[in-house]
Amino acid sequence: DAGVTQSPTHLIKTRGQQVTLRCSPKSGHDTVSWYQQALGQGPQFIFQYYEEEERQRGNFPDRFSGHQFPNYSSELNVNALLLGDSALYLCASSFRGAAAFYGYTFGSGTRLTVV
Amino acid sequence: KNQVEQSPQSLIILEGKNCTLQCNYTVSPFSNLRWYKQDTGRGPVSLTIMTFSENTKSNGRYTATLDADTKQSSLHITASQLSDSASYICVVSSTSGGSYIPTFGRGTSLIVHP
């Protein structure tokens, strides 16, 4: 039973560029959430996707956008990269009907470095 | 504003010793509280989950407690091992209108020395 898969594992981009990160949820999960984790900090909620729509959004600018596909996989896009966007980006999946109890399964993350 | 505060920020102990990590929260309405272990550069892995009616939950050498009245939780690690070196994150969740958004603490960094 595959867990949450994220790609790529590491990425280096130049300031001003755009980046796309990908996530495949755990089998049986239908909801995907994205988090940004700066070094030494806890994860910060970016947004959550369910039924191919953004359902909740954290305090992140419009440069951060996402998409969910019919197979429940998801992408996180970041435009006009800033040095401060350097972080570990975590994808977490859940089953919406029981997320409150079973919670999230996290992927190993994508380490984004902006230079 | 929902907040989760963890203490200490970091902790160094010797292998075999016990330790206790603290979590205070102001999250409403309360749904559940989880402790996660996060190894460096990896995603968090759930250790325990407690709902409002539960005040203790164990997972091997990890024991979590919850006092819903004072809005405090602790994670006790018994007979620590080198592999316990990681960040431990307290996550408190509320539900509203069918949505489920957890609030993360910053974590406690635990280092276990031989």
Side-chain angles (χ1 to χ4, degrees):
Chain A
D1 180 22
V4 178
T5 304
Q6 291 188 244
S7 64
T9 55
H10 296 84
L11 200 54
I12 299 175
K13 287 287 189 178
T14 304
R15 204 169 30 173
Q17 284 188 315
Q18 179 266 344
V19 68
T20 297
L21 311 182
R22 294 177 177 81
C23 172
S24 293
K26 180 180 178 179
S27 178
H29 285 182
D30 58 8
T31 303
V32 173
S33 301
W34 287 92
Y35 289 82
Q36 180 194 66
Q37 187 176 25
L39 200 61
Q41 303 293 318
Q44 298 294 314
F45 174 70
I46 302 175
F47 42 53
Q48 182 183 82
Y49 276 84
Y50 171 68
E51 291 185 333
E52 302 179 47
E53 290 188 11
E54 183 182 294
R55 300 292 179 167
Q56 293 281 339
R57 189 179 183 92
N59 188 25
F60 278 80
D62 293 344
R63 298 188 297 111
F64 290 77
S65 63
H67 189 78
Q68 185 180 34
F69 300 93
N71 67 353
Y72 308 121
S73 66
S74 177
E75 289 182 346
L76 164 65
N77 301 294
V78 187
N79 295 324
L81 284 167
L82 304 174
L83 296 180
D85 295 331
S86 296
L88 180 68
Y89 287 85
L90 294 166
C91 170
S93 72
S94 58
F95 176 59
R96 186 172 179 86
F101 182 79
Y102 293 108
Y104 289 0
T105 299
F106 282 87
S108 294
T110 294
R111 171 68 64 186
L112 172 65
T113 301
V114 182
V115 298
Chain B
K1 179 182 179 183
N2 290 339
Q3 287 187 316
V4 176
E5 300 290 338
Q6 291 188 242
S7 61
Q9 183 175 357
S10 61
L11 185 61
I12 300 174
I13 62 174
L14 293 176
E15 186 179 12
K17 297 297 185 181
N18 303 335
C19 68
T20 300
L21 314 180
Q22 300 291 340
C23 172
N24 298 333
Y25 63 91
T26 55
V27 175
S28 182
F30 176 86
S31 176
N32 60 62
L33 184 148
R34 296 176 180 275
W35 284 92
Y36 284 88
K37 177 186 179 185
Q38 186 176 23
D39 293 313
T40 302
R42 308 287 292 181
V45 175
S46 181
L47 295 174
T48 63
I49 175 175
M50 288 179 293
T51 57
F52 185 87
S53 59
E54 298 174 295
N55 55 26
T56 187
K57 184 71 68 75
S58 292
N59 178 2
R61 294 180 296 103
Y62 301 102
T63 299
T65 65
L66 172 65
D67 186 333
D69 292 331
T70 62
K71 299 186 176 181
Q72 296 179 328
S73 175
S74 66
L75 180 68
H76 186 72
I77 303 175
T78 304
S80 61
Q81 300 176 359
L82 298 180
S83 60
D84 292 332
S85 296
S87 179
Y88 292 82
I89 303 175
C90 175
V91 183
V92 184
S93 299
S94 61
T95 57
S96 177
S99 296
Y100 167 73
I101 303 298
T103 302
F104 285 74
R106 290 190 173 185
T108 291
S109 176
L110 175 65
I111 298 174
V112 180
H113 280 165

